[in-house]
Amino acid sequence: MSTVTRERLWTGPQGAVVAGVFATAFLFAFESYAIATALPLVAADLDGLSLVGVSFAVMLAASVVTMTVSAPWCDREGPTVPLLTGVAGFVVGLVVSGTASTMEVFVVGRAVQGLGSGLTTVALYVLVGQAFAEHIRPRVFVVLTSAWVLPALVGPPVAGWVAETFGWHWAVLGAIVPALLAAGLLTPALGTPGAQSDVRLSARRVGLASLGALAVLAVSVAGQRGFDGWWALLLLGLVTAVLVVPPLLPAGTWTGRRGLPTVIATRGVVSLAFFGVEAYLPLALVEHRGLTPTQGGMFLTGGAVLWFSGSWLAANVPALADKHRRVRIGTTLVAIGSLAGVLVLVEALPLTALVLLWPLAGLGMGMATSTLSVLLLETAPPGEHGAASAAMQTNDAVVQAMGLALGSAVFAALLTRSSEEAFAVVLGVAPLVALGAVVLSGRLRES
């Protein structure tokens, strides 16, 4: 049976769709690394250093709105038209950002990119759920994961070379090429039917999502502590998110209700733990271990590569057939690997040990998140893959934005007292957050 599954993935009638899924994920990965690499040059050229944080936050915030729009659209009419529309919107945003002559216009382009990415990320999950049989989906999620590995390895140096040689405009506009490739490869999926013809877009949900987007933007900007009264904006954003986001999620998501709510919650929590370490680990290595910025950034490569390995193992190793056990193992590995962050401060511990420890977090993320994606499609009510996918993506965005913003505020406050104390707190919390995901993983089953 496994041989048949492998042959169907790339060479069967759905092979073109698999290639389209890969190309679309590659698009977002390549753009992410290209923007991150080129942004210092963008800020210097457009005199927009104060808006660097906003350029990231506004894209995330805008995507929250279109995730809510994409869900009923996909469930009603099928995923491919929303997906292609999202890619088109993403390209428009790239053009606006890549040709910007002011930082304000660059930020507007990033917002348009966010609108497109919100449509696309939800539609990708729905496409996987509707176009592929249940036993094939784990391997399709391996394809999605693999699309992030190559950009993680070659994206920064390629984008950096293009930005320094031809200008940052071309580093941004270069992402249009994989976008057009993705759109072309996805056309064979046109006609994938929707599951519920009577689903309609709710104005109330769009309103709540818009407020949620503003909350994400508020906490992200306030977390940088770049202006007087930042704490008031942070508090307002947090309170708004707590009030308006839960109604967009399955009931009980933030309280750990068994089944689908916990599937969504677990991914949000474990991702926060991982990215919470990733946000500060390179800087900690520079400040406390004397590495160069390039060496600090390359330290993260092992986590990216092992992320793919974890996803592959989850889909191909018979001993890991139990999905719930896979998530438990994966979240535990993240908890162990995330200790690398706080252990940077232990000077007696050799860097070699940290090099070996951090990739365990990537291995665990690959195993846990790919499995949670499969569980999402399995546990979602029939015909509601769009709604469930939007809920997962929205929860991820909000939880990570709030967690990272709070971490940034705490880090900045403690930094005035002691650099070591600041790093110890933000990096020391991550393993505890990951342990929370381990606990949640025990509630994945419906009963």
Side-chain angles (χ1 to χ4, degrees), residues 11 30 38 66 82 105 153 159 187 189 191 241 245 272 310-311 353 356:
T11 62
F30 181 84
T66 46
V105 174
L153 297 175
T187 51
V245 173
L272 175 60
S311 178
L356 296 174

Side-chain angles (χ1 to χ4, degrees), residues 215-293:
V216 167
L217 185 60
V219 298
S220 299
V221 172
Q224 300 175 68
R225 294 167 46 101
F227 54 92
D228 293 336
W230 62 267
W231 59 269
L233 183 62
L234 178 64
L235 182 61
L236 177 62
L238 291 172
V239 171
T240 301
V242 170
L243 292 175
V244 305
V245 173
L248 298 172
L249 311 174
T253 296
W254 283 8
T255 56
R257 181 178 296 181
R258 286 186 174 275
L260 180 61
T262 294
V263 170
I264 293 172
T266 302
R267 199 176 87 157
V269 173
V270 75
S271 297
L272 175 60
F274 181 86
F275 292 115
V277 174
E278 197 173 65
Y280 294 96
L281 183 56
L283 183 58
L285 288 165
V286 171
E287 293 292 327
H288 292 278
R289 291 301 185 104
L291 271 62
T292 66

Side-chain angles (χ1 to χ4, degrees), residues 26 29-30 33-35 37 148-162:
F26 183 93
F30 181 84
Y33 289 107
I35 290 290
T37 302
W148 283 82
V149 175
L150 183 60
L153 297 175
V154 304
V158 169
W161 176 79
V162 171

Side-chain angles (χ1 to χ4, degrees), residues 22 25-37 144-160 274-275 278 294-308 358 362:
F22 175 88
F26 183 93
L27 157 66
F28 289 108
F30 181 84
E31 186 275 342
S32 175
Y33 289 107
I35 290 290
T37 302
L144 280 171
T145 303
S146 68
W148 283 82
V149 175
L150 183 60
L153 297 175
V154 304
V158 169
F274 181 86
F275 292 115
E278 197 173 65
T294 299
Q295 291 171 333
M298 289 300 293
F299 195 93
L300 302 178
T301 302
V305 174
L306 268 292
W307 188 316
F308 166 75
W358 172 245

Side-chain angles (χ1 to χ4, degrees), residues 195-196 380-385:
Q196 290 192 358
E384 295 185 18
H385 284 161

Side-chain angles (χ1 to χ4, degrees), residues 16 34 87 133 194 199 223 248 288 336 391 409-410:
V87 172
V199 173
L248 298 172
H288 292 278
I336 296 171
V410 170

